Amino acid sequence: MTRLDAPFGSRIDRSRPISFSFEGQRFTGYEGDTIASALAASGQWMLSRSFKYHRPRGAFSMAGAEANTLVQVGSEPNLAADLTPLAEGMVVSAQNVNGSLARDRDAVMDRLGRFMPVGFYYRTFMGPTRKAWLKWWEPLIRAKAGLGMVDLAARPDGFDKSHLHCDILVVGAGPAGLAAAIEAAEAGADVILGDESPDLGGRLTYAPEAEVDLTALVARAEALPALRIMTGTVCNGWFEDNWLPLIRGKALHRCRAREVILATGGIEQPAVFRGNDLPGILTGGAVRRLIRHYGVRPGTRSVILAGTPDGLGAAEDLLDVGTRIAALVLPRDLPGHAERIGRLRSAGAEILTGRIEAARGGTHVEAVQVGGRWIDCDLVAVSVGHAPSWQLPCQAGARLGYDDATCRFSLDLARDGLHLAGSVAGHASTSAVIADGRRAAMAALRALDIDAGNVSPCQDLELALAHCALPLNPHPKGRDFVDFDEDLQVKDIVNAVREGYRELELVKRFSTVGMGPSQGRHSALATARIVAAATGRSVAETGVTTARPPVGPETLGALAGHGHVEERRTALHARHLEAGAEMRPVGAWWRPYLYGRGDRVERITEEVRAVREGAGLLDVSTLGKLEVRGPDAGAFLDRLYTMAHANQPVGKVRYCLMLNEMAAVIDDGVAFRMADDVFYVTATTGAVARVYADMALWNAQWRIRVDVANLTAAFSGLNITGPKARDVLQALSSDIDFSPAGFPYLEGRIGVVAGIPVRVMRIGFTGELSYELHCPSSHAPALWDAVMAAGAPLGLRPYGLEASRILRLEKGHILIGQDTDALTSPDELGFGWAVSKKKAFFVGKRALEMRRRLGESRRLVGLIFEPGTEAPGESCLVLRGGEPVGHVTSVAHSPTLGRVIALAYTHVEDAAPGTEVTIRARSGKLVTGRVAGHAFVDPENRRQEI
Amino acid sequence: MVLRLLKYGLRSDYPVTGDIPVTPTLKPAYDVVIIGAGGHGLACAHYLSKYHGIHDVAVLDKGWLAGGNTARNTTTIRSNYITPQGIAFYKEGVTLYEAMSEELDFNVMFSQRGQLTFAHSEATLRSFHLRAETGRHMGIGIEVVDQKGVEALCPHLNMDYGGALEVLGGLWHPDGGTARHDAVAWGYAAQAARRGVEIHQRTEVTAIEVAGGRVQAVVTNRGRIAAGQVMIACGGMNYDMALKAGVELPIRCYPLQAMVTQPVKPWLHTLVSSVSLHTYLVQSSRGEMVIGGGSDPYQLYSTRSTLDMKEHLAEGAVHLFPFLKNLRLLRQWAGITDMTPDYSPIMGESPVDGLWLDCGWGTWGFKATPVAGKRMAECIATGRVPEILQPFALERFERFALLNEMGATAASH
């Protein structure tokens, strides 16, 4: 064990051991550990095999910044072992290994590397025959693809979503973010402070500084009631209007913030040298986090590469925990730090100037080469500076710049409501970072009209040494990795440029650099510098990188949330079930398909007969119901629908046909003028949401005096239809005169039936005498019961959707969406009667006139088939001279006619009744149908207008 | 540092092919100027130079090679459309993809693993039958499969969340597949460049000169170029580009988004999509799950991506495959799609002589890359629009001879 005593290990609770397994072997860690820290404490550094060459890999950043630490935990693939908290009984295994992590048979790929130069797959795997790719090569490549495995049997749940609102969201609880949040909350703003770490303080938690009392700072923050602290929370994106996803565990909190302060800090960069990917080579920050957060001594004999003073801090920590410093390698002078370096020398460290040329080792680093000499070690700490965490700023429109001379990055973010603070904004020393956090908070407060003071700029003493030229030491033998995730070496980037992929984006795409799970965190700068050098441009001209959401990995489960399937039931659902209905989904709605058990065809036939011979009751509550109100209501409908409504008398009901701007039929329904300024309009079940939205849009554009209410759920509808429908209604108590003269066809009444307020329309879809009763949904069950009771002696029975479809087809009524497609014009339906010739304007009129001038080529007709003919299925093609000219849209066996009937598009010249039309049935057989009029039953409309 | 770097790089024994030449100096005139160095423009240049002996061609792009919708699309290749004209056209596209790696001597990894679309409603099933009937008539591989058939083709699908989203059947299109989008563009670019075509990156067209009803030249940020023939093939910017020549196209632009997860070992071999959920998924040869859906609901010239669409796509994906809830998203992005009223492209002549249109590619452009390139090259070389392209003429909108493909493009591109 390499576990250290307190005060090291701020995050772990030594009183709570946790046992888990890795690669089948048992391990013990502590509450507060991550998988990687617990394994490191037990000497297990190798965590995975790399994507292409299957090289051994371990934690490098201890910050989840690279794919090295991705492991499989139970059924979850690709979890970052250096971020994932340890839990009792966890079963952890390595990914992308053939055999075991220790003995990976695919490790041979590392020796075959020179046969796989950059982009080699574009020039190989092509022969010997065309089929070879699909048959041999592709399966071979697919077998090697991917990292972890999805567990196909897993059914993960517990995902959740919520909304958050605040005045100021501070992302990052390092010194800048903490200072900003305290400043803002103390000034009275409502603040959320989010950080992915389990604790507050950012770098102060592992790189403490004498002048800052973190404990006091945290206590001050925690005492503020207006400050909501969300640790363990990743802010994974910035979207327009300060809309940011905050992900904590399985919950996605969508946060709308008036002001956002990004205090996201930096990403510590790697150095490029041969073997730089070996386990045991870590960033300086990672070394310090292991020691201070987890109490892990990361090695016994170390080499420190200190391009910045951070490296000295790492070295000092190592000395404190008893790790020998074999060598301190300084790529440049660190003026002002001579005393610290002197102390390290006195402690036995050899001070070398220069660079690390290479590292060697089997599954762990064993030695590094400096100035041609090999130095034994089991730990290398690399401190060569940070790049700002550019992801969120870049998503918000910033560009990441880089100055070749000073090696400094810049982010030019100019967007209202968004502020950068601390090291992401280019500050280095803690006091400057804190001052900048307060400055950002004051700017945000002022934007919110909250009084804020001014903070005097603070001299940034550490800025000069905070950045150094990233060590880029290509090795003749390669294995000098630029991108760990994708196993890309310096020569791969150079060769991509030599192939002509000279733009950074092309290099990225050709070589796949930055495309892996770490999304360029470690590779972007090195790549930009290599490309700049190879194309003779500056890094600024080349560009560094772009950023697309998300910042870090996020589960599809968190994004999807509960995953409810929308399901709607009418107010009469229970009545249908009591009546023995078989319910089926229609869109989101559940509707009765038929009633009763036994042979379906018989049941449906009985329901059709009941309507044709007696009376039937259909729940039409799913119909769209819109109330259009206002002095211009008639004019509004005139513009939206093809018929005339402004002149429609009160009490009348008219058919409504809606076209789009291409004169295609998109909806139909009826409009009942209830008063001069009130129309009650129905829309089809599937289209009402869109119709309502369209009405709102047109209303906003036309600016006329109308408002529209969607009453679809508020009102229910019952259709009573059949020759005895009137008798049923007359058996109920009502103030409405249901006599033929008192209530003619296509009229509407408002009144009371069985004590329930109703709007009644005499319209019909079945071709029989029909009344549609609409009432507030809370009354619908009572109305249903009253109608059923009154109708029982008259043989009234409920009927379902299938009978309704047959009844309407027998009458030749169309269903929008089934009998129409995206281009169907009213003329193709033979609906010329439904289009006003007098109106100056309605949506689609111009296109309709144009289409009329050009003439139509097809027509929707009714077809009837002789008994014994194979019934064509819906969508079967109508052929003319062997070529398709249309298709069958609706088919049913008509119980009333004893024949198969259909609606179909035919060539316009074949639309005359009696014409024989050829259809290719599903079996491939050609069948003949005869064109009938639109209505197969009662074409003279005697029955519905009785 | 620079020299050392190059020296180390050059020392390796890597054999350079030199796919893409360095952008050359712009000449004052070319026989043919193609605006847009995406897949379509580069393919056209390839076919012009290889089959029509036309080598004096400049392909211009304001950005980097194939960095627009070629780089952003999710690479679905299929021919299971609705109209006979559409099917005939896309079918030729699939055939050209089958031979593309040989044609270009560049492995574009055309992976013909079939596409399965799910129906969650009777209405969708009905539309599948129409596509199957028409597709069969046109001789493509297509059939409607029942629930058992769906299970057999996609064994891990969650068939049973009941209610409104039960899977009732599917449309199986064995001809469907994917290809590596960048490789298609690079392969065409490399071949065209080898035959003398010039590719000019970072060359933005600022004006198109028209005189006497004929195109004369294009003006760029690097100078004016006289040209006898000009083709517009710039994806999301087609409307604006055509307007520079005074041609207003019936195009509206909407963003289209997609996303990709971390790589996992391959488990999904077919391309799958759901019409009701507006979601499609395909697992790439890297093991990533590529997930996409319908266009954004409002017009916009922006390649920003949104949280809402990401949530919607995630919801669709985990409805179909609940075990994916634990899978992690890597990246999301967007492109600008130039949508036509009938969801079919606009190809062929424009009202301006010598100005050719390869526009209106909306969400369906990648699969047409080879066939559009080949046939547009034929237009430019012969001055005649081949029969297979005639239904896609701009003037079809004046004749109302629309090719309605809406139902075949909404959820799977």
Side-chain angles (χ1 to χ4, degrees):
Chain A
M1 283 291 285
T2 55
R3 209 60 101 148
L4 305 160
D5 292 331
F8 300 110
S10 61
R11 286 185 184 168
I12 55 169
D13 180 350
R14 291 173 180 77
S15 68
R16 301 177 68 183
I18 288 178
S19 72
F20 68 105
S21 75
F22 178 67
E23 285 287 275
Q25 203 187 325
R26 299 216 60 78
F27 287 89
T28 309
Y30 294 119
E31 176 80 31
D33 256 325
T34 62
I35 296 169
S37 68
L39 287 173
S42 305
Q44 176 68 45
W45 288 89
M46 181 169 48
L47 297 172
S48 70
R49 292 280 178 166
S50 67
F51 189 57
K52 199 157 81 179
Y53 299 139
H54 288 251
R55 288 171 61 86
R57 293 282 166 80
F60 174 74
S61 67
M62 281 308 288
E66 68 281 334
N68 290 2
T69 66
L70 297 186
V71 291
Q72 180 102 20
V73 178
S75 64
E76 276 198 78
N78 299 359
L79 277 170
D82 48 345
L83 291 184
T84 307
L86 201 60
E88 184 61 41
M90 254 184 181
V91 179
V92 185
S93 52
Q95 300 185 152
N96 201 37
V97 294
N98 181 2
S100 68
L101 179 63
R103 271 179 291 280
D104 179 5
R105 284 188 286 273
D106 286 351
V108 67
M109 300 296 276
D110 198 17
R111 263 170 279 161
L112 300 177
R114 72 190 169 90
F115 300 105
M116 298 182 281
V118 64
F120 73 102
Y121 31 80
Y122 296 125
R123 307 187 200 284
T124 51
F125 300 130
M126 281 191 288
T129 65
R130 187 185 294 177
K131 291 278 176 213
W133 162 253
L134 204 58
K135 199 166 169 200
W136 302 108
W137 302 123
E138 195 193 16
L140 187 77
I141 290 176
R142 281 183 87 79
K144 296 293 171 200
L147 293 174
M149 288 207 280
V150 289
D151 176 354
L152 300 167
R155 290 292 178 272
D157 58 10
F159 295 97
D160 204 357
K161 278 186 193 181
S162 82
H163 287 92
L164 293 173
H165 298 266
C166 62
D167 290 334
I168 302 177
L169 170 68
V170 182
V171 183
L178 203 49
I182 291 171
E183 184 77 34
E186 284 183 347
D190 170 26
V191 183
I192 293 175
L193 172 63
D195 194 289
E196 65 179 317
S197 300
D199 41 28
L200 298 177
R203 78 179 194 203
L204 294 175
T205 61
Y206 61 87
E209 300 204 18
E211 73 263 31
V212 185
D213 183 350
L214 179 61
T215 316
L217 211 54
V218 170
R220 199 168 140 200
E222 283 172 347
L224 284 165
L227 177 57
R228 279 174 278 174
I229 294 171
M230 296 177 69
T231 50
T233 304
V234 183
C235 179
N236 232 0
W238 180 93
F239 296 94
E240 296 282 341
D241 302 319
N242 281 347
W243 178 233
L244 302 100
L246 302 176
I247 300 173
R248 179 152 64 180
K250 288 186 163 185
L252 168 66
H253 305 276
R254 291 173 291 192
C255 181
R256 181 81 72 187
R258 294 170 70 195
E259 298 284 314
V260 172
I261 296 172
L262 300 176
T264 47
I267 306 160
E268 198 164 10
Q269 295 293 296
V272 177
F273 52 83
R274 178 171 167 81
N276 61 339
D277 62 328
L278 279 167
I281 300 179
L282 289 86
T283 64
V287 166
R288 301 186 79 177
R289 282 190 281 275
L290 274 170
I291 294 171
R292 295 194 175 258
H293 288 160
Y294 306 109
V296 174
R297 182 187 295 118
T300 54
R301 187 182 153 87
S302 63
V303 172
I304 317 293
L305 176 64
T308 71
D310 284 347
L312 304 179
E316 287 154 3
D317 275 4
L318 285 168
L319 275 186
D320 280 353
V321 301
T323 299
R324 229 190 111 193
I325 314 286
L328 178 71
V329 183
L330 299 169
R332 60 164 175 175
D333 283 345
L334 293 175
H337 294 274
E339 205 178 308
R340 295 174 80 187
I341 294 166
R343 277 202 298 273
L344 292 168
R345 182 187 289 119
S346 318
E350 186 180 356
I351 312 297
L352 301 167
T353 51
R355 55 197 177 89
I356 295 179
E357 287 127 26
R360 69 175 184 214
T363 56
H364 198 84
V365 64
E366 287 162 14
V368 292
Q369 191 181 33
V370 181
R373 182 161 61 93
W374 286 96
I375 303 167
D376 289 344
C377 61
D378 61 2
L379 172 68
V380 178
V382 176
S383 286
V384 293
H386 294 71
S389 295
W390 66 77
Q391 291 86 354
L392 288 174
C394 287
Q395 286 171 29
R399 276 176 61 92
L400 181 65
Y402 183 79
D403 183 69
D404 299 75
T406 61
C407 305
R408 280 188 208 156
F409 290 92
S410 59
L411 280 165
D412 57 339
L413 182 64
R415 186 185 277 276
D416 286 347
L418 203 51
H419 315 266
L420 298 182
S423 53
V424 73
H427 299 278
S429 64
T430 305
S431 51
V433 161
I434 288 175
D436 196 50
R438 293 184 59 213
R439 179 208 51 76
M442 289 167 184
L445 287 166
R446 272 192 291 276
L448 294 169
D449 288 327
I450 299 174
D451 281 341
N454 280 301
V455 61
S456 47
C458 164
Q459 207 190 347
D460 196 342
L461 296 168
E462 293 171 26
L463 187 58
L465 292 178
H467 304 279
C468 72
L470 183 81
L472 202 52
N473 305 316
H475 196 279
K477 287 185 180 161
R479 295 298 179 268
D480 40 9
F481 288 97
V482 173
D483 187 330
F484 296 161
D485 297 11
E486 300 285 310
D487 275 340
L488 291 165
Q489 311 156 65
V490 173
K491 66 179 176 196
D492 295 323
I493 309 298
V494 174
N495 286 334
V497 174
R498 292 167 69 205
E499 287 291 7
Y501 303 94
R502 300 167 60 83
E503 301 288 341
L504 195 64
E505 272 296 330
L506 291 174
V507 171
K508 197 167 141 184
R509 287 168 173 275
F510 187 71
S511 68
T512 71
V513 66
M515 307 268 266
S518 73
Q519 294 285 289
R521 277 175 184 77
H522 287 153
S523 59
L525 176 60
T527 305
R529 291 188 57 207
I530 297 167
V531 173
T535 57
R537 286 177 290 191
S538 69
V539 171
E541 284 172 299
T542 307
V544 183
T545 185
T546 52
R548 287 171 172 150
V551 174
E554 57 196 14
T555 60
L556 294 181
L559 292 169
H562 297 286
H564 293 303
V565 175
E566 188 196 5
E567 204 170 281
R568 301 184 77 176
R569 297 173 177 189
T570 74
L572 299 168
H573 194 80
R575 294 293 184 275
H576 301 318
L577 295 180
E578 283 162 20
E582 179 186 324
M583 305 300 286
R584 286 203 186 175
V586 180
W589 290 99
W590 283 93
R591 300 195 65 180
Y593 179 73
L594 56 78
Y595 292 84
R597 297 278 168 266
D599 185 78
R600 283 186 173 148
V601 175
E602 267 175 37
R603 292 274 92 76
I604 292 163
T605 306
E606 280 169 24
E607 290 179 10
V608 170
R609 281 225 176 91
V611 172
R612 292 272 177 249
E613 291 164 13
L617 178 60
L618 181 69
D619 177 5
V620 294
S621 303
T622 64
L623 269 179
K625 303 170 211 77
L626 303 159
E627 210 166 88
V628 179
R629 298 177 291 218
D632 293 333
F636 185 68
L637 296 187
D638 266 2
R639 295 187 190 197
L640 274 176
Y641 292 100
T642 56
M643 287 183 83
H645 297 282
N647 64 1
Q648 179 178 335
V650 172
K652 289 279 184 193
V653 175
R654 258 181 208 170
Y655 182 66
C656 293
L657 187 68
M658 186 181 271
L659 309 184
N660 64 14
E661 288 157 297
M662 292 194 293
V665 173
I666 55 171
D667 198 37
D668 71 351
V670 294
F672 167 26
R673 189 164 208 166
M674 300 202 301
D676 248 357
D677 57 351
V678 183
F679 284 85
Y680 186 65
V681 183
T682 66
T684 54
T685 302
V688 62
R690 199 199 62 230
V691 169
Y692 176 63
D694 281 357
M695 283 186 172
L697 183 71
W698 287 121
N699 192 19
Q701 287 187 29
W702 292 332
R703 296 174 183 222
I704 57 179
R705 294 168 298 166
V706 156
D707 100 296
V708 184
N710 188 346
L711 303 180
T712 301
F715 274 70
S716 294
L718 276 62
N719 194 312
I720 303 161
T721 181
K724 293 183 183 163
R726 183 176 291 127
D727 302 339
V728 174
L729 284 163
Q730 284 176 336
L732 287 156
S733 68
S734 178
D735 58 352
I736 299 171
D737 173 8
F738 284 104
S739 69
F743 194 164
Y745 185 58
L746 287 181
E747 293 211 353
R749 298 289 181 269
I750 299 167
V752 176
V753 170
I756 292 162
V758 291
R759 339 179 136 170
V760 187
M761 294 179 283
R762 225 194 112 179
I763 50 176
F765 202 45
T766 61
E768 302 297 330
L769 171 67
S770 300
Y771 297 87
E772 213 164 279
L773 275 61
H774 290 220
C775 70
S777 289
S778 54
H779 292 295
L783 185 62
W784 175 276
D785 293 343
V787 171
M788 283 298 287
L794 296 160
L796 175 76
R797 60 177 293 164
Y799 67 99
L801 204 56
E802 189 54 28
S804 168
R805 285 173 181 162
I806 294 169
L807 287 161
R808 71 93 196 175
L809 188 58
E810 288 182 339
K811 184 62 187 167
H813 283 306
I814 61 155
L815 286 177
I816 304 285
Q818 177 167 341
D819 301 307
T820 63
D821 61 28
L823 297 174
T824 303
S825 77
D827 294 348
E828 289 174 340
L829 299 173
F831 275 21
W833 57 268
V835 180
S836 160
K837 292 175 184 63
K838 291 179 194 154
K839 287 197 292 182
F841 172 82
F842 56 84
V843 175
K845 181 179 164 84
R846 188 167 162 267
L848 185 63
E849 283 170 353
M850 203 185 289
R851 291 177 72 165
R852 281 180 170 165
R853 275 201 303 281
L854 294 161
E856 303 288 356
S857 61
R858 60 174 188 169
R859 187 58 85 98
L860 187 74
V861 300
L863 294 179
I864 192 157
F865 296 85
E866 289 308 313
T869 315
E870 181 186 338
E874 284 167 353
S875 302
C876 282
L877 299 182
V878 175
L879 302 175
R880 193 176 203 250
E883 288 306 310
V885 289
H887 65 277
V888 176
T889 60
S890 297
V891 182
H893 179 266
S894 161
T896 313
L897 300 173
R899 295 271 197 288
V900 170
I901 55 172
L903 290 176
Y905 286 97
T906 61
H907 193 276
V908 70
E909 288 168 18
D910 292 342
T915 311
E916 294 205 328
V917 171
T918 305
I919 294 159
R920 185 186 288 140
R922 200 78 83 219
S923 64
K925 206 175 135 193
L926 299 180
V927 296
T928 303
R930 188 166 38 80
V931 176
H934 251 280
F936 299 96
V937 169
D938 186 27
E940 297 84 24
N941 295 333
R942 287 199 194 107
R943 298 174 71 89
Q944 68 186 13
E945 289 170 22
I946 191 169
Chain B
M1 169 65 213
V2 174
L3 286 174
R4 194 177 60 194
L5 194 66
L6 286 173
K7 194 176 77 182
Y8 278 125
L10 290 164
R11 191 180 286 175
S12 75
D13 50 5
Y14 175 79
V16 177
T17 316
D19 296 334
I20 318 293
V22 177
T23 296
T25 315
L26 208 55
K27 293 194 297 184
Y30 293 87
D31 288 347
V32 178
V33 167
I34 295 171
I35 308 174
H40 283 229
L42 294 166
C44 180
H46 164 74
Y47 290 104
L48 278 174
S49 61
K50 183 169 175 185
Y51 296 97
H52 300 284
I54 298 173
H55 307 285
D56 189 27
V57 179
V59 187
L60 316 179
D61 203 289
K62 71 171 177 179
W64 38 276
L65 189 74
N69 290 345
T70 302
R72 294 160 198 275
N73 83 93
T74 50
T75 78
T76 304
I77 294 159
R78 60 186 180 90
S79 60
N80 53 353
Y81 280 75
I82 296 174
T83 66
Q85 299 92 329
I87 295 168
F89 175 76
Y90 292 109
K91 181 186 169 191
E92 184 169 310
V94 172
T95 308
L96 289 169
Y97 266 108
E98 285 167 351
M100 192 184 285
S101 294
E102 281 171 273
E103 167 83 16
L104 303 179
D105 190 25
F106 205 79
N107 192 345
V108 301
M109 301 173 206
F110 178 49
S111 174
Q112 207 164 19
R113 287 173 288 133
Q115 186 205 33
L116 180 63
T117 314
F118 308 124
H120 303 268
S121 73
E122 296 285 347
T124 308
L125 215 46
R126 204 176 289 123
S127 76
F128 284 0
H129 276 296
L130 179 57
R131 285 163 73 180
E133 294 291 344
T134 315
R136 266 213 302 268
H137 182 82
M138 299 301 294
I140 61 167
I142 188 163
E143 64 175 306
V144 176
V145 293
D146 60 10
Q147 288 179 317
K148 278 211 173 68
V150 170
E151 272 174 298
L153 288 162
C154 188
H156 310 300
L157 177 71
N158 177 28
M159 304 278 293
D160 183 31
Y161 20 69
L165 286 175
E166 189 186 3
V167 174
L168 301 178
L171 185 64
W172 173 235
H173 180 42
D175 305 358
T178 57
R180 177 99 176 93
H181 49 357
D182 293 325
V184 170
W186 299 337
Y188 277 123
Q191 285 295 323
R194 239 156 262 164
R195 292 189 176 83
V197 169
E198 291 182 6
I199 299 164
H200 294 269
Q201 301 179 68
R202 300 196 192 200
T203 305
E204 184 171 4
V205 172
T206 53
I208 299 175
E209 289 179 15
V210 177
R214 218 198 132 70
V215 70
Q216 307 292 330
V218 299
V219 183
T220 77
N221 60 336
R222 295 171 62 216
R224 179 181 184 275
I225 314 167
Q229 312 268 348
V230 175
M231 182 173 93
I232 296 179
C234 41
M237 299 311 289
N238 277 328
Y239 176 86
D240 302 64
M241 192 54 71
L243 210 54
K244 291 184 204 295
V247 178
E248 187 169 8
L249 299 176
I251 280 174
R252 291 176 182 173
C253 287
Y254 296 83
L256 176 68
Q257 304 191 41
M259 58 194 205
V260 66
T261 70
Q262 288 186 341
V264 283
K265 293 289 172 198
W267 61 273
L268 180 68
H269 298 288
T270 54
L271 289 73
V272 299
S273 64
S274 158
V275 177
S276 301
L277 294 169
H278 284 279
T279 308
Y280 64 91
L281 291 97
V282 54
Q283 189 167 21
S284 76
S285 54
R286 288 167 56 84
E288 302 158 336
M289 303 303 306
V290 179
I291 307 172
S295 303
D296 286 6
Y298 40 85
Q299 294 180 56
L300 200 66
Y301 276 98
S302 168
T303 53
R304 95 280 178 269
S305 39
T306 67
L307 180 57
D308 307 45
M309 182 55 82
K310 178 162 62 174
E311 293 179 68
H312 165 78
L313 293 177
E315 214 174 305
V318 305
H319 269 315
L320 296 171
F321 304 106
F323 48 86
L324 291 183
K325 285 180 186 171
N326 277 339
L327 191 57
R328 284 159 169 77
L329 195 73
L330 199 55
R331 196 163 61 235
Q332 66 174 134
W333 68 92
I336 300 168
T337 58
D338 48 331
M339 306 293 283
T340 55
D342 59 359
Y343 294 71
S344 282
I346 299 168
M347 286 181 285
E349 292 165 315
S350 77
V352 175
D353 282 350
L355 183 72
W356 298 92
L357 302 173
D358 182 32
C359 304
W361 285 107
T363 65
W364 47 87
F366 179 70
K367 64 184 67 61
T369 304
V371 60
K374 178 182 171 189
R375 296 303 194 165
M376 287 308 300
E378 201 177 322
C379 289
I380 293 169
T382 65
R384 284 190 307 275
V385 179
E387 200 180 344
I388 196 168
L389 292 197
Q390 283 169 11
F392 301 96
L394 173 61
E395 50 88 49
R396 76 175 182 273
F397 296 100
E398 287 163 35
R399 288 185 284 117
F400 253 98
L402 305 190
L403 298 169
N404 167 40
E405 295 289 1
M406 186 166 87
T409 59
S412 49
H413 311 306

